[in-house]
Amino acid sequence: MTVSSLTTKNSYSGDASTTTFAYGFKIFASAEIKVFIRSAAGTETLKSLTTHYTLTNVGNASGGNVVFESGSVPSNTETVVLIRDTALTQTLDLVENDPFLSGSFENSLDKVTHQMIELQEEVDRSFKVSKTNTITSAEFTDNAAGRASKVLGFSSN
């Protein structure tokens, strides 16, 4: 399989009756998806597989569904956020002189690609300076006490 989609997240508004929400990306295992409920106040709650929801089509290239259990259905003031979260491990072990399993190798490459796409999505949400900026270090060297009650900002210098 090739990885042609950069989608790592789907977001939906709850309505107190919809129980099924689609995730539009491949996950290789049920542990590779995080299901959050975001309240109107901005509080994010991570939900648990089997306690709050079940999954369909794990391993399907086009994704599947998160199905909320009764009692866990998102209300009309909540947002459902589904995020792919591929483990940062590599589990393929190629044994010398064994037959080459192209499917296993391709899945391993797909997982690395998923990891890179997820990392890029995080980098895209980060504060950055321009490529031509002369800042040589963005490291914070003050300890926690020195940073307490301070705001990140910029002076005229």
Side-chain angles (χ1 to χ4, degrees):
M1 176 185 116
T2 61
V3 178
S4 57
S5 172
L6 300 179
T7 301
T8 62
K9 177 175 22 179
N10 295 117
S11 183
Y12 302 96
S13 296
D15 63 8
S17 63
T18 301
T19 60
T20 302
F21 299 88
Y23 60 92
F25 43 82
K26 181 176 184 174
I27 58 174
F28 289 91
S30 58
E32 291 183 0
I33 189 167
K34 299 290 185 223
V35 177
F36 289 94
I37 298 296
R38 184 179 173 92
S39 73
T43 304
E44 297 175 351
T45 305
L46 178 63
K47 295 301 182 175
S48 301
L49 181 65
T50 68
T51 302
H52 301 113
Y53 66 90
T54 58
L55 294 171
T56 67
N57 294 336
V58 172
N60 187 310
S62 60
N65 293 305
V66 170
V67 182
F68 282 92
E69 301 291 336
S70 62
S72 295
V73 177
S75 75
N76 60 352
T77 63
E78 296 176 319
T79 303
V80 178
V81 182
L82 313 175
I83 301 173
R84 185 175 63 206
D85 185 33
T86 308
L88 298 178
T89 57
Q90 191 284 106
T91 58
L92 179 64
D93 184 21
L94 298 174
V95 179
E96 204 169 315
N97 296 320
D98 267 7
F100 183 76
L101 303 173
S102 61
S104 297
F105 187 67
E106 189 167 6
N107 281 343
S108 205
L109 289 175
D110 289 351
K111 281 187 174 188
V112 170
T113 303
H114 286 182
Q115 292 163 343
M116 292 183 343
I117 292 168
E118 291 163 25
L119 180 59
Q120 184 62 53
E121 189 274 335
E122 287 192 40
V123 168
D124 289 346
R125 288 185 290 113
S126 300
F127 290 107
K128 296 175 266 210
V129 296
S130 70
K131 289 177 175 50
T132 60
N133 198 294
T134 59
I135 295 174
T136 58
S137 174
E139 183 178 357
F140 293 99
T141 57
D142 293 345
N143 63 22
R147 293 188 316 265
S149 300
K150 302 290 190 300
V151 174
L152 178 62
F154 300 92
S155 71
S156 61
N157 295 325

